[in-house]
Amino acid sequence: RTPEKLADSYRPSGSPTRVSGTKVVADISFANIDGSGVCKVDKSLVCKGFWDAVNKAGRICLPRRSGKTYNLTQLLLFFSQSPEYSKLKEIPDSIIDSSLLGSSDVAQLDMATKCRLKRECLFKDSLLQTMHPEFFHEHFMRYPVLHISLSKCKGKSLGIFIVNLCGAIVALSEQWLKTYYSNNCQSTNVDINYADRLKRFCVKYESISYESADDGVKYINFAQKLFEALSDFVSDVYGRYILLIDEYDIPFITVQLANWTSEDKQAAQGILKLLFQTMLKDNDNLIKGLLFGVFEIPLTEMGSGANNIKDIRMVPTEENDIRGSILSASHPHSGSGMDALTDSFWFNTNEVELMLDNSTRWCAKI
């Protein structure tokens, strides 16, 4: 049970591996890495693993620098039907394969078309497309995806905490409203009603001050109602969606460690309970949801309201789990389900050696 042997058991030596590229860069975004010839390991099977292993809501907790942000952005760019301009702005047009252009000139293409073609090139000939072409065709760029980062949901007071928490949802809401108003010329009355409702919540948020938000009881359901408005708007206009939440643990840790009164802590916990219950449990608009974080917060004990979340553990926590991982190393990698999901984080010894060999060609000093 040495660390080396256990590491190999988590990542079976027979797992699909495809190392490509030679450049070395410090980045964590899937698009920025895969779109610039950087030396990397193909982790595209994470998309199939997520779809197979997560029924409605899942949670992955891993240390920093283990591939969470890389895989989250990869899930976003694979499943999302939106152009995702912000995730692709650093990728040059030259990445677009000429075979996809036909007789068109890339300079004459609109931004949405360029983004679509760039994403096709990012996943072209990937393990996912090669091993699961039917899945790829069925799910690539097919769904609305809500991506929320809770990294800034902190605060020295309850008021600051509430404003920052709601601000994360408002920022996402404003992105969707901007897309809606710029692209929708034939909106139905129902669409307009949902859009106006969400816009009113965003306007109301602008009037909230840190001082007024310190009255936690007054705003205990504001974040919940705000997300409900966003959820109803997106599902009505674009369809049921996938929800990806990054750094979900930050607001819980903030409340736990805050030097607040017991009443303020209780109010904050009530806000989080209602919000997470609305996002992940009592949500008919949700297709699948996934939480990413570092710490495995006991959500049920902290009253999150989201007790239906499936924990996806990459590292065995008990003796039986360790034995199971060791045994699994003797079985062929399926390329789907939990195999694909757990194989998409960290690197095994062979992958590290291959990346070092490739990188040395680019920089002999490595």
Side-chain angles (χ1 to χ4, degrees):
R1 295 181 190 173
T2 63
E4 292 79 11
K5 289 182 178 179
L6 287 177
D8 286 339
S9 73
Y10 306 150
R11 301 288 312 285
S13 58
S15 63
T17 297
R18 183 177 293 171
V19 177
S20 62
T22 57
K23 291 172 60 179
V24 179
V25 68
D27 208 313
I28 58 177
S29 167
F30 164 71
N32 292 347
I33 291 175
D34 286 49
S36 55
V38 171
C39 185
K40 52 95 178 183
V41 179
D42 188 324
K43 301 288 187 179
S44 59
L45 291 176
V46 71
C47 303
K48 183 70 162 60
F50 160 71
W51 194 265
D52 292 344
V54 176
N55 291 325
K56 185 170 184 180
R59 174 171 64 172
I60 294 176
C61 296
L62 290 171
R64 299 195 183 280
R65 302 295 176 264
S66 56
K68 295 190 300 297
T69 299
Y70 177 85
N71 280 320
L72 185 148
T73 53
Q74 185 167 202
L75 289 170
L76 176 67
L77 288 175
F78 177 78
F79 286 108
S80 177
Q81 64 184 1
S82 299
E84 302 299 342
Y85 307 112
S86 63
K87 298 293 187 296
L88 298 164
K89 61 184 178 182
E90 302 297 329
I91 308 302
D93 292 347
S94 57
I95 191 180
I96 300 177
D97 195 312
S98 58
S99 64
L100 298 175
L101 292 173
S103 59
S104 302
D105 182 353
V106 68
Q108 297 176 342
L109 299 177
D110 61 78
M111 187 60 69
T113 302
K114 285 183 181 180
C115 288
R116 177 179 59 80
L117 294 176
K118 286 179 181 180
R119 289 162 70 181
E120 288 184 17
C121 292
L122 286 174
F123 285 97
K124 184 180 180 182
D125 298 327
S126 63
L127 285 172
L128 180 65
Q129 188 180 49
T130 303
M131 296 178 68
H132 304 286
E134 298 85 2
F135 175 87
F136 191 97
H137 178 74
E138 181 181 357
H139 299 288
F140 185 46
M141 296 194 294
R142 299 285 184 176
Y143 307 96
V145 178
L146 303 188
H147 170 214
I148 302 177
S149 174
L150 301 183
S151 60
K152 296 181 180 179
C153 298
K154 308 173 184 178
K156 294 182 179 179
S157 69
L158 175 61
I160 297 174
F161 173 79
I162 291 175
V163 169
N164 289 340
L165 178 64
C166 295
I169 306 173
V170 167
L172 181 62
S173 300
E174 290 176 342
Q175 291 175 18
W176 280 92
L177 286 171
K178 181 179 179 180
T179 301
Y180 171 76
Y181 286 121
S182 61
N183 295 338
N184 258 287
C185 300
Q186 296 180 339
S187 302
T188 67
N189 289 333
V190 176
D191 292 348
I192 294 172
N193 288 339
Y194 280 121
D196 288 346
R197 178 187 173 213
L198 180 58
K199 190 174 181 180
R200 286 195 299 271
F201 270 100
C202 293
V203 171
K204 184 176 181 181
Y205 167 79
E206 296 299 330
S207 66
I208 299 176
S209 65
Y210 293 148
E211 291 75 17
S212 63
D214 274 328
D215 184 359
V217 176
K218 181 179 178 181
Y219 289 99
I220 192 166
N221 66 352
F222 183 78
Q224 172 204 15
K225 296 299 183 184
L226 172 61
F227 183 83
E228 280 183 349
L230 171 62
S231 175
D232 290 341
F233 165 71
V234 171
S235 63
D236 177 76
V237 178
Y238 301 99
R240 295 174 67 225
Y241 56 80
I242 293 170
L243 176 62
L244 302 175
I245 304 178
D246 197 13
E247 302 204 56
Y248 87 95
D249 47 349
I250 294 297
F252 292 99
I253 294 171
T254 296
V255 174
Q256 186 73 9
L257 300 180
N259 186 25
W260 302 345
T261 65
S262 58
E263 290 79 9
D264 283 353
K265 284 194 172 188
Q266 187 175 1
Q269 288 172 348
I271 291 169
L272 291 175
K273 176 179 180 179
L274 289 172
L275 176 60
F276 273 74
Q277 182 173 325
T278 300
M279 290 192 298
L280 297 164
K281 188 177 181 181
D282 302 331
N283 188 352
D284 293 334
N285 299 327
L286 181 68
I287 299 174
K288 292 179 184 290
L290 189 60
L291 306 178
F292 283 90
V294 174
F295 298 100
E296 195 171 293
I297 305 296
L299 293 175
T300 303
E301 293 178 20
M302 295 191 70
S304 72
N307 55 3
N308 64 322
I309 294 175
K310 176 182 179 180
D311 280 310
I312 301 167
R313 293 187 172 91
M314 310 294 169
V315 181
T317 56
E318 298 179 359
E319 185 173 339
N320 288 338
D321 295 331
I322 294 174
R323 289 176 178 171
S325 293
I326 293 174
L327 288 173
S328 70
S330 64
H331 296 282
H333 189 290
S334 68
S336 59
M338 285 298 294
D339 277 352
L341 193 56
T342 58
D343 194 50
S344 298
F345 297 85
W346 295 313
F347 306 109
N348 60 28
T349 303
N350 291 336
E351 291 166 347
V352 172
E353 290 177 351
L354 286 169
M355 285 192 290
L356 284 173
D357 288 343
N358 282 19
S359 300
T360 305
R361 300 171 195 167
W362 182 71
C363 180
K365 294 182 179 179
I366 294 179

